Amino acid sequence: MRPADVAGVAVLATVWGTNFLLVEEALEGLNPAQVVAVRLALGGVALLLLVRATRAALPRKGSTWVKLAGMGLLGQAIPWLLFASGQEEVTSALAGLYTGLTPLLTIPVAWLFLRDRPSPAAIGACLVGFAGLAVVLAPWSGGGDVSLRGQLLCLGGAACYAVAYSYAGRMMKTVDDTKLSLAASQALTAIVIMVPATSGHLVEPATATWLIVVCLVLLGLGTAVAFLVNYWLIARVGPVSASLAFYLIPVVAVVAGVVVRGERLHPNEIAGSVLILVALAALYLWERARDKRAPVAAPAR
């Protein structure tokens, strides 16, 4: 990859990886539902402004809006709410580590729902990664100082992401709207559904300090920035190389939590993290090798 591509990967990993730190700070004054609602609203507005600026059109088919509603719930509203709820009981570093499981969870999800048979290399990476997950959870320790419930909530969020990616792979084959209009519409449907569903929590008292306001704005704007950089990268270097940012999220989240908030991982979490990162590295390298081996389509005549 060229320097500009490396910079794009760094921006993506930084934006996505520091989101957990921003959520952790925002939870000092707001509850999880309030954090997610503001994040969805600001991100949706930013994306809508981009739609207007680029003169893109929002989807016109009702069936597309229904599909986007499902994607908005699975890819944004529900996992964001699960992670934010989990972060009330676990650190941002640990929550970020659970996001790293998404590529591994996507493999069995794609096999179950799309009948996409995994390769032996992918199965091996999953086994190593899930062994790391077991070490992180450490059910034999009785929970210890870390909330098992908080960890399971974060695991549920990662599972939602995995289902969303598999769902998006199928959905993108049936819609022809621009990626930008789809992202903006997805955010709108998510907020429209989530507001009435969590209205009881949204009206609870909240404290908005200047730091919390800054964190919320960064969360919202980060959604739009990450979307643009992600598709710019995919167009330049392809989806496999662009996905490197996703594999770096756990590293960025852990470093941000340790440096900014002084968070610490327990010995079993460190050991499990190493196993998960090894599995992610192996999976990424295998995907790169597969991408290089893929036959080049013959030019049309």
Side-chain angles (χ1 to χ4, degrees):
M1 291 192 295
R2 289 164 287 183
D5 305 327
V6 174
V9 170
V11 168
L12 271 183
T14 301
V15 170
W16 285 336
T18 55
N19 278 347
F20 299 95
L21 176 65
L22 298 175
V23 169
E24 196 80 16
E25 294 290 348
L27 288 172
E28 296 290 339
L30 285 72
N31 63 43
Q34 292 168 335
V35 172
V36 175
V38 174
R39 183 179 177 184
L40 279 171
L42 292 178
V45 169
L47 288 170
L48 274 178
L49 291 176
L50 289 173
V51 168
R52 293 294 301 273
T54 59
R55 298 183 178 180
L58 294 178
R60 296 182 178 181
K61 297 180 181 178
S63 59
T64 301
W65 282 95
V66 172
K67 294 174 183 177
L68 289 173
M71 188 62 195
L73 290 175
L74 290 172
Q76 290 178 305
I78 295 177
W80 288 0
L81 187 58
L82 288 173
F83 271 108
S85 299
Q87 283 188 242
E88 289 188 307
E89 303 180 27
V90 302
T91 63
S92 63
L94 187 55
L97 175 62
Y98 272 95
T99 302
L101 289 166
T102 299
L104 300 173
L105 290 169
T106 302
I107 293 171
V109 167
W111 176 70
L112 289 172
F113 294 100
L114 303 180
R115 297 306 178 193
D116 186 2
R117 186 186 297 273
S119 70
I123 294 174
C126 279
L127 293 177
V128 174
F130 294 152
L133 170 61
V135 174
V136 171
L137 285 170
W140 53 84
S141 67
D145 298 329
V146 183
S147 167
L148 181 60
R149 176 180 178 274
Q151 293 188 74
L152 291 176
L153 286 170
C154 292
L155 179 59
C160 280
Y161 283 144
V163 174
Y165 289 137
S166 298
Y167 176 74
R170 174 174 293 182
M171 184 189 74
M172 294 304 296
K173 298 177 181 179
T174 61
V175 297
D176 53 7
D177 299 275
T178 66
K179 304 294 190 302
L180 180 56
S181 65
L182 291 176
S185 304
Q186 175 181 316
L188 288 175
T189 56
I191 191 65
V192 166
I193 296 173
M194 184 183 171
V195 168
T198 61
S199 57
H201 297 285
L202 295 179
V203 297
E204 292 178 358
T207 302
T209 64
W210 69 268
L211 179 58
I212 291 175
V213 171
V214 169
C215 289
L216 291 171
V217 171
L218 289 176
L219 280 169
L221 295 180
T223 299
V225 170
F227 171 81
L228 290 176
V229 174
N230 188 36
Y231 281 102
W232 174 78
L233 264 178
I234 291 174
R236 283 174 62 92
V237 301
V240 173
S241 294
S243 70
L244 177 60
F246 202 98
Y247 296 90
L248 296 175
I249 291 176
V251 178
V252 175
V254 169
V255 171
V258 170
V259 172
V260 178
R261 293 183 61 89
E263 299 172 349
R264 292 291 182 269
L265 293 176
H266 292 76
N268 67 293
E269 295 167 359
I270 295 175
S273 301
V274 171
L275 287 173
I276 291 172
L277 292 176
V278 167
L280 289 173
L283 181 61
Y284 177 74
L285 292 174
W286 171 76
E287 288 182 337
R288 282 292 302 273
R290 181 189 62 180
D291 191 46
K292 290 180 179 179
R293 291 194 306 267
V296 179
R301 295 184 179 181

